[in-house]
Amino acid sequence: MKKTAQKKQPAIHYTIVPKDLAGHLFNVTVTVPAPAPDGQVFALPAWIPGSYMIREFARNIVRIRAESNGAAVALTKLDKHSWRAAPAGGPLTLHYEVYAWDLSVRAAHLDQTHGFFNGTSVFLRVLGQEEDAHEVDIQRPADPAAKTWRVATAMKELGAKRYGFGTYVAANYDELIDHPVEMGDFALATFKAHGIPHDIVITGRVPNLDMARLQADLKAICEAQITLFEPQTNRAPIDRYVFMTMAVGDGYGGLEHRASTALICARADLPSSATPQPGEPGEGYLKFLGLCSHEYFHTWNVKRIKPAVFAPYDLQVENYTPLLWLFEGFTSYYDDLMLVRAGIIGEPTYFKLLGKTVGSVLRGSGRLKQSVADSSFDAWSKYYRQDENSPNAIISYYSKGSLIALAFDLTIRAKTGGAKTLDDVMRALWQRYGRDFYPSVGRGVTESEVESLFDEISGLKLRNLFDKFVRGTDDLPLAKLFAPFGIKLADERKSGKPSLDAGIGRDPLGAKLTQVHEGGAAHQAGLSALDIVIAIDGLRVNGNPSNVEALLSRYRVGDKLTVHAFRRDELMAFDVTLQGDRVPGITLSQAVPGKKSSALPRPSAA
């Protein structure tokens, strides 16, 4: 019997129009050619992959209505982010407005200078039809202020031209929401990394932007990462990539996507052609390159190699996993390491960056109470909802996770004589779980599979490391692990420096204690976070953190003094015994000066 060709389902079609730039409103329509006969359900995601917190994007839908064949269709709200349309006899269209005034990498923002959106903030999901093709017509605003705007996105063009308004297409809903869109008058440059075009898009005023240096540095970083995962072929898992950056007065953040990243940075952190800096990047630019490196590494690690629970995502509720230490922590390890391999920084700068990370982990007592596996699982309620007590209660799966990656790398290198490294483990994860993840949703990796793979690839039994440092709360023996590589780790904290051991912020009345570290002088005296210190031993505090430091510098460790502070509207006095500075001062150096320290920053052979 002859097979009849299956009729292709018409695509779900969206139109998005920046309707009111001053009012920050996008007009969105979604047309469903064949709605569910018993009533089509629509839902807007409650969170965005990569940012593990329920954000309830549907709260920004200002108004919504449905129609079919020109007639109104009843809509019933089912919960905070879902609607059901009454049965319709033909194609069903929803019209709705989205308020876009969140200047971050997570949501949507619109004004007279630019427009930006993630699909999770603006595109209602058509339940039951998520695997169908999705088209989106991105229309130019009618406002004269936008007559020269262009469009930047990694989404595939259908009717649109590259960087132009028009129609774009995604294979399914998951792909649709994984391509953020920037529109406006942005700076644009393109470079190729192992033959793959990469766009740099910078929105915001950045006088004398040194785009040539940015291109060269990002090219080196991208090529180093592509080579890590595919050393034989240098084949990237993308056919195009977009770095889209919003430059502001003060800001920092990034969010990964399968073929792009959305970034926000301080304009001062971008390189300037007016004051070119030869040699290694300055502190601000180095921070930005590290951010770019981090988000680009996610192209492999979390966008394609995923925890099993993310394959696929459930976008309406929390998706719990104890593996974020691997996906964020290991990415945090490699982001700076790639700057070394790309030739952008040398070992001394890398050691300084490592020292800061070690110090930040040792600073809080929360590291002794929460494991990185638990921190990963609790990201939704703890890491992404931090408060003044967080340093005393939680550990960052980013920072300690990066040190766990370092510990694994050093252990594997030392015990195999350099025959194996963490690179080999990452490549195995890529080959088994990531390389073929798209176009259809592949299979994620489980916790037990991760542990088994570490043992298999290294040829070692590494359960002790998992028990102590991943599932446990032990401090990492980094000094011991570094020793075989000729690297000395030391803590050179200024213990003779008197301290309250509290975070200091500004307040009109004095100095606000933003955090009080457990066991420190402030804690022992009864001071609390959010107290406003107005006097130290009878001398006024002016609210500048350096003023507090200057006043304390007149005393010795062990001296007793009186601190006056407001708690709420009540003035209180506290008897404080000053302690020595408990802020770690971690340094890394070559054990034998002048001798090449180790092969640590160098990639292993495939």
Side-chain angles (χ1 to χ4, degrees), residues 334-356:
Y334 275 102
D335 58 20
D336 287 338
L337 192 55
M338 285 297 150
L339 303 184
V340 184
R341 294 185 182 178
I344 292 170
I345 61 173
E347 262 187 12
T349 301
Y350 179 63
F351 285 165
K352 285 181 183 177
L353 294 172
L354 264 183
K356 284 183 180 178

Side-chain angles (χ1 to χ4, degrees), residues 459-526:
L460 306 170
K461 297 296 182 185
L462 298 172
R463 175 160 186 172
N464 191 45
L465 273 69
F466 280 92
D467 284 343
K468 283 187 171 185
F469 311 124
V470 175
R471 291 181 286 267
T473 59
D474 288 16
D475 282 333
L476 292 152
L478 292 177
K480 182 180 177 181
L481 293 174
F482 271 125
F485 299 92
I487 300 172
K488 180 183 177 183
L489 184 149
D491 185 349
E492 298 178 353
R493 72 183 75 189
K494 299 173 182 176
S495 56
K497 180 182 175 184
S499 169
L500 291 176
D501 201 12
I504 307 293
R506 293 177 181 271
D507 188 271
L509 293 177
K512 178 180 283 188
L513 301 186
T514 56
Q515 297 166 337
V516 171
H517 292 281
E518 188 175 37
H523 175 216
Q524 298 286 0

